[in-house]
Amino acid sequence: MTRRPLAERLTSAATVLVVVAVGAALALAGSHHGVRWGEIPVYGLAVAVAFAIQWAVFVPSFLLQTERFFDLTGSLTFVTVTLGVLALGTPSARGWLLGGMVVGWAARLGTFLVGRIRRYGRDDRFDALKPYLLSFLGVWTLQGLWVSFTAGAAWIAMTSSSTIPIDAWTGVGVLVWAAGLVVEAVADEQKRRFKRDPANRDRFISTGLWSRSRHPNYLGEIVAWVGVALVAAPTFTGWQWVGLLSPVFVAVLLTKVSGIPLLEQKADARWGGQPEYEAYKERTPVLLPRL
């Protein structure tokens, strides 16, 4: 095992503890007025299982020094925990609808990400983290929080003791979710086809949805989870309103932490200074298309 300086190891350990603490607070708040499995709040159990799955897969991944299972594990966690919540809770029609929305989104993303890792064999984002136990553990722990926060609105509504019939507001949320899912899926497919063409080797994509936004797939993902929150919100009471942080967390994570900043930095290092790329950046917004 490679060792980093003590200060860096302490920082990594502190990060893991903070992420776990935030997850515990989320589980406690979201379980307010929620159904229980015996004496255990179903939502709190869902969050705990989401973290436990990441840690279980982290062990062999660290020993083998591989990130190949990372994306697949995240997607499967959405699916398995959502199905578990449906099985242990007493979901209404709204709950079943939300479960289908989460599973549908995760299945689509998981299929895409698994295909990508099979094509390229590795993800260079993890190169600087894999050799260090606490740093690599931190990434897996953060994924547990990502799953818990992202699916939080849906899971809270699915385990809420409040039963609210499906109405027109539900339809609005489903339409928003569907629009986001379509944008995300189309953007991913456009980029996949672009990169498969040998003529585009060492080039950046600037066509299709990518001509309107430099990160249309992330825009679609944020919109999809806004739709989920709209469907879930009518069931919230008390501390369950923490579920509205779901799309906020997704937006902050993608625009400020692990999504756009890293990709923009990588693109600037690769194409920065080239007239064509600088012109593309000038005319194309980072996320929200110009009207």
Side-chain angles (χ1 to χ4, degrees):
M1 180 180 67
T2 306
R3 296 176 67 87
R4 276 183 165 176
L6 178 60
E8 294 183 11
R9 281 181 279 148
L10 291 175
T11 299
S12 297
T15 299
V16 171
L17 292 176
V18 168
V19 171
V20 172
V22 172
L26 175 66
L28 182 63
S31 297
H32 186 62
H33 288 308
V35 298
R36 293 174 175 266
W37 182 54
E39 296 299 319
I40 304 173
V42 174
Y43 176 69
L45 179 61
V47 174
V49 171
F51 275 89
I53 292 173
Q54 312 314 308
W55 293 331
V57 183
F58 157 75
V59 174
S61 297
F62 178 72
L63 294 176
L64 296 174
Q65 284 293 282
T66 180
E67 72 281 3
R68 291 180 64 89
F69 309 117
F70 186 79
D71 290 328
L72 176 61
T73 301
S75 298
L76 287 179
T77 302
F78 276 103
V79 174
T80 55
V81 176
T82 298
L83 295 178
V85 169
L86 289 172
L88 296 179
T90 55
S92 61
R94 185 185 300 267
W96 283 103
L97 175 61
L98 285 164
M101 293 166 74
V102 173
V103 170
W105 176 86
R108 202 289 310 176
L109 180 64
T111 301
F112 170 76
L113 293 177
V114 169
R116 186 176 67 179
I117 196 69
R118 288 183 63 185
R119 285 194 303 273
Y120 300 109
R122 57 187 293 272
D123 188 334
D124 57 13
R125 294 175 302 170
F126 294 88
D127 289 350
L129 301 172
K130 286 186 296 185
Y132 307 103
L133 187 148
L134 289 175
S135 297
F136 200 32
L137 175 62
V139 175
W140 287 85
T141 304
L142 184 60
Q143 179 159 262
L145 186 65
W146 169 63
V147 173
S148 301
F149 252 120
T150 303
W155 290 351
I156 290 172
M158 291 161 64
T159 59
S160 176
S161 57
S162 301
T163 301
I164 308 297
I166 289 177
D167 53 15
W169 186 252
T170 309
V172 172
V174 171
L175 289 176
V176 172
W177 170 81
L181 185 66
V182 168
V183 169
E184 183 181 9
V186 169
D188 282 339
E189 179 62 16
Q190 287 177 343
K191 191 170 186 179
R192 185 188 70 84
R193 293 186 179 186
F194 178 86
K195 298 183 77 170
R196 282 185 62 185
D197 187 344
N200 295 323
R201 184 175 182 179
D202 296 328
R203 296 180 60 196
F204 59 91
I205 184 171
S206 59
T207 56
L209 293 177
W210 300 84
S211 68
R212 309 296 299 172
S213 167
R214 301 210 296 272
H215 302 278
N217 53 337
Y218 289 159
L219 174 62
E221 184 171 341
I222 293 168
V223 170
W225 288 107
V226 169
V228 171
L230 290 176
V231 175
T235 69
F236 295 163
T237 58
W239 284 102
Q240 288 181 333
W241 285 101
V242 72
L244 288 186
L245 291 177
S246 168
V248 176
F249 178 84
V250 172
V252 171
L253 188 67
L254 292 179
T255 61
K256 302 296 183 182
V257 184
S258 65
I260 290 175
L262 294 180
L263 291 179
E264 287 286 301
Q265 183 180 21
K266 186 177 179 179
D268 288 342
R270 189 171 185 180
W271 298 295
Q274 297 182 16
E276 185 179 1
Y277 175 70
E278 295 299 335
Y280 171 68
K281 287 185 65 176
E282 181 67 25
R283 69 176 182 267
T284 310
V286 173
L287 187 68
L288 296 175
R290 295 190 182 96
L291 298 179

